[in-house]
Short mmCIF file of all heavy atoms in Angstrom, two decimals:
data_model
loop_
_atom_site.label_atom_id
_atom_site.label_comp_id
_atom_site.label_asym_id
_atom_site.label_seq_id
_atom_site.Cartn_x
_atom_site.Cartn_y
_atom_site.Cartn_z
N LEU B 45 19.64 0.63 -0.76
CA LEU B 45 20.89 1.38 -0.58
C LEU B 45 21.80 1.20 -1.82
O LEU B 45 22.35 2.17 -2.34
CB LEU B 45 21.61 0.87 0.68
CG LEU B 45 22.92 1.56 1.01
CD1 LEU B 45 22.69 3.03 1.35
CD2 LEU B 45 23.64 0.87 2.17
N ALA B 48 20.26 3.16 -4.76
CA ALA B 48 20.41 4.62 -4.62
C ALA B 48 21.86 5.03 -4.90
O ALA B 48 22.12 6.05 -5.54
CB ALA B 48 19.99 5.06 -3.22
N LEU B 49 22.79 4.21 -4.44
CA LEU B 49 24.21 4.53 -4.66
C LEU B 49 24.63 4.30 -6.11
O LEU B 49 25.68 4.76 -6.53
CB LEU B 49 25.10 3.70 -3.71
CG LEU B 49 24.99 4.07 -2.22
CD1 LEU B 49 25.85 3.15 -1.36
CD2 LEU B 49 25.38 5.53 -1.99
N TRP B 52 23.24 7.56 -7.96
CA TRP B 52 24.02 8.74 -7.58
C TRP B 52 25.28 8.72 -8.47
O TRP B 52 26.16 7.90 -8.27
CB TRP B 52 24.41 8.61 -6.11
CG TRP B 52 25.02 9.82 -5.49
CD1 TRP B 52 25.39 10.98 -6.11
CD2 TRP B 52 25.33 10.00 -4.10
NE1 TRP B 52 25.91 11.86 -5.21
CE2 TRP B 52 25.89 11.29 -3.96
CE3 TRP B 52 25.20 9.21 -2.96
CZ2 TRP B 52 26.32 11.80 -2.74
CZ3 TRP B 52 25.63 9.71 -1.74
CH2 TRP B 52 26.19 10.99 -1.63
N LEU B 423 13.67 9.51 17.60
CA LEU B 423 14.32 10.16 16.45
C LEU B 423 14.01 9.46 15.12
O LEU B 423 14.04 10.08 14.07
CB LEU B 423 15.84 10.17 16.66
CG LEU B 423 16.38 11.08 17.76
CD1 LEU B 423 17.88 10.89 17.89
CD2 LEU B 423 16.08 12.54 17.41
N GLN B 424 13.78 8.16 15.21
CA GLN B 424 13.70 7.35 13.98
C GLN B 424 12.75 7.90 12.91
O GLN B 424 13.16 8.04 11.75
CB GLN B 424 13.34 5.89 14.36
CG GLN B 424 13.35 4.92 13.20
CD GLN B 424 12.03 4.86 12.44
OE1 GLN B 424 10.97 5.04 13.02
NE2 GLN B 424 12.11 4.62 11.14
N PRO B 425 11.49 8.25 13.24
CA PRO B 425 10.61 8.74 12.17
C PRO B 425 11.14 10.00 11.50
O PRO B 425 10.95 10.20 10.29
CB PRO B 425 9.29 9.03 12.90
CG PRO B 425 9.34 8.21 14.14
CD PRO B 425 10.78 8.16 14.54
N TYR B 426 11.81 10.86 12.28
CA TYR B 426 12.33 12.11 11.71
C TYR B 426 13.49 11.81 10.75
O TYR B 426 13.59 12.40 9.67
CB TYR B 426 12.79 13.06 12.82
CG TYR B 426 11.65 13.48 13.72
CD1 TYR B 426 11.49 12.92 14.98
CD2 TYR B 426 10.71 14.41 13.30
CE1 TYR B 426 10.43 13.28 15.81
CE2 TYR B 426 9.65 14.78 14.11
CZ TYR B 426 9.51 14.21 15.36
OH TYR B 426 8.46 14.56 16.16
N ILE B 427 14.39 10.90 11.19
CA ILE B 427 15.53 10.56 10.31
C ILE B 427 15.01 9.96 9.00
O ILE B 427 15.40 10.37 7.91
CB ILE B 427 16.47 9.55 11.02
CG1 ILE B 427 17.07 10.18 12.28
CG2 ILE B 427 17.58 9.07 10.08
CD1 ILE B 427 17.84 9.21 13.16
N TYR B 428 14.09 9.03 9.15
CA TYR B 428 13.53 8.36 7.96
C TYR B 428 12.81 9.38 7.08
O TYR B 428 12.97 9.39 5.85
CB TYR B 428 12.57 7.26 8.41
CG TYR B 428 12.23 6.25 7.34
CD1 TYR B 428 13.21 5.49 6.73
CD2 TYR B 428 10.91 6.04 6.96
CE1 TYR B 428 12.90 4.56 5.76
CE2 TYR B 428 10.58 5.09 5.99
CZ TYR B 428 11.57 4.37 5.40
OH TYR B 428 11.26 3.44 4.43
N GLY B 429 12.03 10.27 7.73
CA GLY B 429 11.28 11.28 6.99
C GLY B 429 12.18 12.24 6.23
O GLY B 429 11.93 12.54 5.05
N ILE B 430 13.24 12.71 6.89
CA ILE B 430 14.17 13.63 6.21
C ILE B 430 14.81 12.93 5.00
O ILE B 430 14.91 13.49 3.91
CB ILE B 430 15.25 14.14 7.19
CG1 ILE B 430 14.60 15.08 8.22
CG2 ILE B 430 16.39 14.85 6.46
CD1 ILE B 430 15.49 15.41 9.41
N GLY B 431 15.22 11.69 5.22
CA GLY B 431 15.81 10.92 4.11
C GLY B 431 14.85 10.83 2.93
O GLY B 431 15.23 11.02 1.78
N LEU B 432 13.58 10.60 3.24
CA LEU B 432 12.60 10.43 2.16
C LEU B 432 12.30 11.74 1.44
O LEU B 432 12.05 11.74 0.23
CB LEU B 432 11.31 9.82 2.72
CG LEU B 432 11.45 8.36 3.14
CD1 LEU B 432 10.19 7.88 3.82
CD2 LEU B 432 11.77 7.48 1.93
N VAL B 433 12.32 12.85 2.19
CA VAL B 433 12.11 14.15 1.54
C VAL B 433 13.22 14.39 0.52
O VAL B 433 12.96 14.79 -0.63
CB VAL B 433 12.07 15.29 2.59
CG1 VAL B 433 12.15 16.65 1.90
CG2 VAL B 433 10.81 15.19 3.43
N LEU B 434 14.47 14.10 0.92
CA LEU B 434 15.59 14.30 -0.01
C LEU B 434 15.52 13.31 -1.17
O LEU B 434 15.71 13.68 -2.33
CB LEU B 434 16.92 14.14 0.74
CG LEU B 434 17.20 15.16 1.85
CD1 LEU B 434 18.52 14.85 2.55
CD2 LEU B 434 17.23 16.58 1.29
N LEU B 435 15.23 12.05 -0.84
CA LEU B 435 15.16 11.01 -1.88
C LEU B 435 14.06 11.32 -2.90
O LEU B 435 14.31 11.40 -4.10
CB LEU B 435 14.90 9.65 -1.22
CG LEU B 435 14.70 8.47 -2.16
CD1 LEU B 435 16.05 7.91 -2.59
CD2 LEU B 435 13.90 7.35 -1.51
N GLY B 474 22.31 13.80 -6.65
CA GLY B 474 23.06 13.80 -5.39
C GLY B 474 22.12 13.77 -4.20
O GLY B 474 22.32 13.03 -3.23
N LEU B 475 21.03 14.60 -4.30
CA LEU B 475 20.00 14.59 -3.24
C LEU B 475 19.40 13.20 -3.09
O LEU B 475 19.19 12.71 -1.99
CB LEU B 475 18.87 15.57 -3.59
CG LEU B 475 19.09 17.06 -3.38
CD1 LEU B 475 17.80 17.81 -3.70
CD2 LEU B 475 19.50 17.35 -1.94
N LEU B 476 19.12 12.60 -4.26
CA LEU B 476 18.55 11.24 -4.27
C LEU B 476 19.47 10.28 -3.51
O LEU B 476 19.02 9.52 -2.64
CB LEU B 476 18.37 10.80 -5.73
CG LEU B 476 17.79 9.43 -6.08
CD1 LEU B 476 17.33 9.43 -7.52
CD2 LEU B 476 18.72 8.26 -5.85
N GLY B 477 20.76 10.32 -3.84
CA GLY B 477 21.71 9.40 -3.21
C GLY B 477 21.81 9.65 -1.71
O GLY B 477 21.73 8.71 -0.90
N LEU B 478 21.96 10.93 -1.36
CA LEU B 478 22.11 11.29 0.05
C LEU B 478 20.83 10.92 0.83
O LEU B 478 20.90 10.32 1.91
CB LEU B 478 22.37 12.79 0.15
CG LEU B 478 22.73 13.33 1.53
CD1 LEU B 478 24.07 12.78 1.98
CD2 LEU B 478 22.78 14.87 1.50
N GLY B 479 19.68 11.26 0.23
CA GLY B 479 18.40 10.93 0.86
C GLY B 479 18.25 9.43 1.03
O GLY B 479 17.77 8.95 2.06
N GLY B 480 18.69 8.68 0.01
CA GLY B 480 18.60 7.21 0.08
C GLY B 480 19.41 6.68 1.26
O GLY B 480 18.93 5.83 2.02
N VAL B 481 20.62 7.22 1.44
CA VAL B 481 21.49 6.76 2.53
C VAL B 481 20.84 7.09 3.88
O VAL B 481 20.77 6.23 4.78
CB VAL B 481 22.89 7.41 2.42
CG1 VAL B 481 23.72 7.10 3.66
CG2 VAL B 481 23.61 6.92 1.17
N ILE B 482 20.32 8.32 4.01
CA ILE B 482 19.70 8.72 5.29
C ILE B 482 18.45 7.87 5.56
O ILE B 482 18.22 7.40 6.68
CB ILE B 482 19.34 10.23 5.28
CG1 ILE B 482 20.62 11.07 5.17
CG2 ILE B 482 18.57 10.62 6.54
CD1 ILE B 482 20.38 12.55 4.94
N ALA B 483 17.65 7.65 4.52
CA ALA B 483 16.43 6.84 4.69
C ALA B 483 16.78 5.42 5.10
O ALA B 483 16.12 4.82 5.96
CB ALA B 483 15.60 6.85 3.41
N VAL B 484 17.84 4.87 4.49
CA VAL B 484 18.23 3.50 4.85
C VAL B 484 18.71 3.46 6.31
O VAL B 484 18.41 2.50 7.04
CB VAL B 484 19.31 2.97 3.87
CG1 VAL B 484 19.95 1.69 4.39
CG2 VAL B 484 18.67 2.70 2.51
N ILE B 485 19.40 4.51 6.74
CA ILE B 485 19.82 4.55 8.16
C ILE B 485 18.56 4.58 9.06
O ILE B 485 18.47 3.83 10.04
CB ILE B 485 20.71 5.80 8.43
CG1 ILE B 485 22.05 5.62 7.73
CG2 ILE B 485 20.91 6.01 9.94
CD1 ILE B 485 22.92 6.88 7.71
N GLY B 486 17.58 5.42 8.68
CA GLY B 486 16.32 5.48 9.45
C GLY B 486 15.61 4.13 9.45
O GLY B 486 15.08 3.70 10.48
N GLY B 487 15.61 3.47 8.29
CA GLY B 487 14.98 2.15 8.18
C GLY B 487 15.71 1.12 9.03
O GLY B 487 15.09 0.27 9.70
N ALA B 488 17.05 1.19 9.02
CA ALA B 488 17.86 0.24 9.81
C ALA B 488 17.58 0.44 11.30
O ALA B 488 17.49 -0.54 12.06
CB ALA B 488 19.34 0.44 9.50
N ILE B 489 17.45 1.71 11.72
CA ILE B 489 17.15 1.98 13.15
C ILE B 489 15.79 1.36 13.50
O ILE B 489 15.63 0.73 14.55
CB ILE B 489 17.15 3.50 13.43
CG1 ILE B 489 18.55 4.07 13.24
CG2 ILE B 489 16.66 3.79 14.85
CD1 ILE B 489 18.62 5.60 13.30
N PHE B 490 14.83 1.52 12.59
CA PHE B 490 13.50 0.94 12.83
C PHE B 490 13.59 -0.57 13.00
O PHE B 490 13.03 -1.15 13.94
CB PHE B 490 12.55 1.29 11.67
CG PHE B 490 11.27 0.52 11.71
CD1 PHE B 490 10.25 0.87 12.58
CD2 PHE B 490 11.07 -0.58 10.89
CE1 PHE B 490 9.07 0.15 12.64
CE2 PHE B 490 9.90 -1.32 10.93
CZ PHE B 490 8.89 -0.95 11.81
#
Side-chain angles (χ1 to χ4, degrees):
Chain B
L45 180 66
L49 291 177
W52 189 353
L423 290 176
Q424 185 273 328
Y426 297 103
I427 297 171
Y428 196 59
I430 290 168
L432 290 173
V433 168
L434 297 177
L435 176 83
L475 282 184
L476 180 162
L478 188 65
V481 172
I482 296 171
V484 167
I485 291 169
I489 294 171
F490 168 78

